[in-house]
Amino acid sequence: MGKLRGLIPPFLLVALWEAAAATGWLTLESLSRPSHILIAGARALMEGSILVATWQTIEAAALGLLIAVAAGVLSGVLIGLSRPLARTVGPTIEGLRPIPAVAFIPLALLYFGYGLPMEGAVVAYGCVWPVLVATASAVRGIEPRLLEVAAALEMSFAAKVWKIILPAAMARINLGVRVAAGFALVVAVTVEIVVNPRGLGYSLILAQQSLRVDLMYAQLIWLSFLGFVLNLALGRIGRASGASERAAQ
Amino acid sequence: MAHGHSAQDLMRPAGSAQPAMSVREVSLTLGGPPGRLILDAISFDVRQGEFLSIVGPSGCGKTTLLRLMAGLMPPTSGEITFEGAPVRRPSLSRAIVFQDYTNALLPWRTVSANIALSLEARGVARAERDDRVAALLKKMGLQHAAAQFPGQLSGGMQQRVQIARCLAQQPRIMLMDEPFGALDAITRQGLQDELMALAADEKMTVAFITHDLEEAIYLGDRVFVLAANPGRVVEEIEVGLERPRHQLLTREDPRFLKHRHRLFGLLQGH
Ligand SMILES: Nc1ncnc2c1ncn2[C@@H]1O[C@H](COP(=O)(O)OP(=O)(O)OP(=O)(O)O)[C@@H](O)[C@H]1O
Ligand SMILES: [Mg+2]
């Protein structure tokens, strides 16, 4: 019951909004009307256009995230293991990291043209830093005794990374990946809104330009729903890895 | 060693057999420059098949010496050889039992998987690996803990796991750094006796570091005494107590008490 109490304000707001629009008291064009938004959303779902756009956005976000995780973990391990390397590339990383991913849209457009690769590249750029930084600091923080165990057992570099370093750093790498995953959706939609003619961001722009305010709101609600599901999933993964971590303590 | 003596071997005086490990004029300076002399021109041999105890006060450089013997770090000067070859890096033939078993075990791996680590690293086939891990679990009394994680075990059990992992690498020398230092008296005595039985069974060469002089005498064939600042060997005694030893009887033996008095004086008087 206590949980449901949080639903009262939005419901009240929606009811008020609908009532105000129905009585003609609220005539602002940019606000549409809850019932119209609902119908527009249902239509978009039924004809599948919103699902296609969703898939395109998720595809680009996932591609970018995948690249970011692979590149971030690999370079993070190397940087975390080697102090000289960390000192050499550290300033460069600190210089590149604050540049907003979307600032690279023009450059990415030049390289890849419109489409999935360009969007994936921008997402990857935005997502690589949290993964890299989390991995490097996790690897630097590994119990030195474990690395001595690897040395004492004459492990190859690959075995050391695979059997000791990655498992030992996994919990903190996961945190970085979670941050990156949240970021991936934001960057993907932004790229679509700004330039890329695909996905949910582009649908939003189309709806706005054709003055389909109801559809625009429906898409916004759908996006917030996607974000919610993503967060839920990431929380699950986080808790699962946290639990296995605790079991391992 | 036990078979196939050639005529030449037999003619040699017993003392000239090649030592398992030989430490020659080993010094170590840390920090600096100019740095601090931690170990000062240490020389000794670890004989083939012996149980060598190394005892000394806290901070005298016992751990550092063991790390040099393992090849985890190089000495500033002098040389360490193992079976005639210079020690430059760690090797599977020299197992290291760390004092801090909590840090040395992989907390995300089960007991079995921890023990299997060296076998995996060497690419031993799955079936053989399982057999050898099962045998080691049995030998160390860990069968019931096989599927548990180290964090779920008592300190004594965790140290057993580390010893089992070291045995899995089939070392030719065990380098042990105060392995029972963090355990309660009862657990400690149990593990002392198990370790002695193990060493006797496998004719293992052991270098065993401790700051407990009774433990040093009880376990050792010989005991080296280190003094601090800088670390150096100040005494070597042949224990000469017959095996198997007994927690009560051996410790009451007049020879044991004589050694104990002598070492006690040395450790006080440094
Ligand atoms: N990396 C290092 N840099 C400088 N000094 C060090 C370093 N490691 C150890 N020392 C010093 O070397 C000396 C010997 O240390 P070591 O750990 O070998 O002693 P220990 O005999 O094992 O002591 P304990 O019985 O407490 O384990 C100590 O005084 C310590 O402060
Ligand atoms: Mg020590």
Side-chain angles (χ1 to χ4, degrees):
Chain A
M1 278 299 111
K3 268 191 200 167
L4 293 183
R5 182 173 294 194
L7 291 177
I8 296 175
F11 266 102
L12 220 59
L13 213 66
V14 169
L16 268 175
W17 178 4
E18 180 71 34
T23 55
W25 181 67
L26 191 77
T27 52
L28 217 58
E29 227 175 57
S30 61
L31 264 181
S32 187
R33 211 172 136 166
S35 53
H36 293 179
I37 294 171
L38 203 68
I39 294 166
R43 239 190 230 134
L45 268 177
M46 236 114 76
E47 69 183 23
S49 64
I50 202 167
L51 293 179
V52 172
T54 303
W55 164 246
Q56 290 173 337
T57 299
I58 288 179
E59 181 186 38
L63 174 71
L65 184 63
L66 206 72
I67 296 169
V69 169
V73 168
L74 194 74
S75 42
V77 166
L78 296 177
I79 291 169
L81 281 179
S82 159
R83 289 225 164 252
L85 182 63
R87 272 195 293 272
T88 309
V89 301
T92 311
I93 289 173
E94 288 314 310
L96 287 174
R97 192 153 73 110
I99 304 175
V102 288
F104 279 90
I105 291 175
L107 193 66
L109 202 56
L110 218 58
Y111 272 107
F112 299 104
Y114 296 99
L116 177 65
M118 170 270 215
E119 196 174 325
V122 178
V123 171
Y125 182 89
C127 292
V128 76
W129 307 114
V131 179
L132 190 156
V133 171
T135 305
S137 92
V139 170
R140 214 173 296 125
I142 288 179
E143 168 59 46
R145 189 69 75 236
L146 287 179
L147 300 180
E148 289 181 355
V149 168
L153 298 182
E154 293 188 65
M155 285 191 178
S156 64
F157 181 74
K160 180 168 84 169
V161 170
W162 196 246
K163 292 182 191 295
I164 307 266
I165 291 172
L166 285 182
M170 195 45 81
R172 289 174 64 189
I173 294 177
N174 269 344
L175 282 182
V177 172
R178 280 177 65 184
V179 172
F183 211 43
L185 190 64
V186 176
V187 176
V189 172
T190 309
V191 173
E192 290 159 1
I193 288 179
V194 175
V195 59
N196 211 16
R198 64 198 297 285
L200 283 170
Y202 183 62
S203 304
L204 267 172
I205 285 292
L206 276 189
Q208 182 244 346
Q209 282 169 356
S210 53
L211 295 177
R212 286 290 311 278
V213 182
D214 52 347
L215 184 58
M216 204 180 79
Y217 275 103
Q219 285 166 342
L220 269 179
I221 292 165
W222 176 249
L223 254 177
S224 81
F225 170 71
L226 281 186
F228 177 75
V229 170
L230 181 70
N231 263 336
L232 210 67
L234 292 174
R236 276 279 153 75
I237 296 168
R239 262 199 302 286
S241 69
S244 65
E245 175 85 345
R246 248 170 282 122
Q249 290 295 303
Chain B
M1 289 292 117
H3 53 85
H5 285 290
S6 70
Q8 260 185 351
D9 281 339
L10 290 175
M11 280 188 298
R12 259 193 227 148
S16 76
Q18 191 196 34
M21 184 175 271
S22 122
V23 176
R24 285 287 160 269
E25 295 287 318
V26 162
S27 297
L28 181 76
T29 307
L30 283 180
R36 193 178 134 216
L37 188 61
I38 307 285
L39 298 175
D40 184 20
I42 291 187
S43 296
F44 63 86
D45 285 344
V46 186
R47 296 175 192 153
Q48 207 64 252
E50 84 167 326
F51 199 117
L52 175 67
S53 299
I54 301 172
V55 68
S58 184
C60 70
K62 302 183 296 293
T63 297
T64 309
L65 177 61
L66 198 83
R67 292 170 62 81
L68 295 178
M69 291 163 78
L72 284 170
M73 58 197 280
T76 309
S77 65
E79 190 175 49
I80 301 176
T81 54
F82 178 65
E83 297 176 338
V87 168
R88 302 219 187 286
R89 64 186 68 83
S91 154
L92 279 167
S93 60
R94 297 187 298 275
I96 312 164
V97 178
F98 295 100
Q99 173 174 16
D100 50 340
Y101 42 78
T102 323
N103 294 330
L105 294 174
L106 280 48
W108 59 88
R109 280 184 171 233
T110 62
V111 165
S112 290
N114 262 287
I115 297 173
L117 196 61
S118 70
L119 304 174
E120 283 176 30
R122 253 185 318 169
V124 174
R126 184 67 193 248
E128 191 193 338
R129 211 159 71 200
D130 290 347
D131 288 349
R132 294 210 358 219
V133 169
L136 285 165
L137 285 168
K138 186 146 175 282
K139 181 178 274 176
M140 297 304 297
L142 288 164
Q143 299 101 310
H144 304 298
Q148 285 183 288
F149 291 94
Q152 299 171 293
L153 303 179
S154 67
M157 294 292 266
Q158 290 187 42
Q159 193 56 291
R160 277 167 211 262
V161 177
Q162 198 190 178
I163 292 171
R165 182 173 75 197
C166 286
L167 291 175
Q169 65 190 81
Q170 298 183 308
R172 294 196 296 283
I173 188 170
M174 286 272 256
L175 305 170
M176 310 181 84
D177 185 10
E178 301 199 37
F180 310 143
L183 304 175
D184 64 90
I186 305 281
T187 309
R188 188 180 179 129
Q189 293 189 351
L191 277 171
Q192 285 171 349
D193 289 335
E194 279 181 50
L195 177 63
M196 270 197 296
L198 208 68
D201 278 358
E202 321 248 319
K203 299 187 174 56
M204 216 159 52
T205 308
V206 181
F208 186 98
I209 280 181
T210 175
H211 62 248
D212 175 348
L213 53 94
E214 291 203 35
E215 183 173 63
I217 303 165
Y218 181 66
L219 293 176
D221 294 312
R222 287 191 299 160
V223 179
F224 285 174
V225 183
L226 294 192
N229 296 315
R232 63 205 183 277
V233 180
V234 289
E235 178 66 317
E236 170 197 340
I237 62 169
E238 294 275 350
V239 174
L241 292 161
E242 35 300 298
R243 296 178 185 276
R245 293 179 183 172
H246 185 277
Q247 286 289 355
L248 277 180
L249 302 180
T250 304
R251 286 172 193 268
E252 287 165 357
D253 189 297
R255 289 166 295 169
F256 184 94
L257 294 174
K258 199 188 92 211
H259 292 321
R260 192 171 167 278
H261 275 257
R262 168 140 190 72
L263 293 187
F264 189 78
L266 274 170
L267 288 175
Q268 295 293 303
H270 76 88

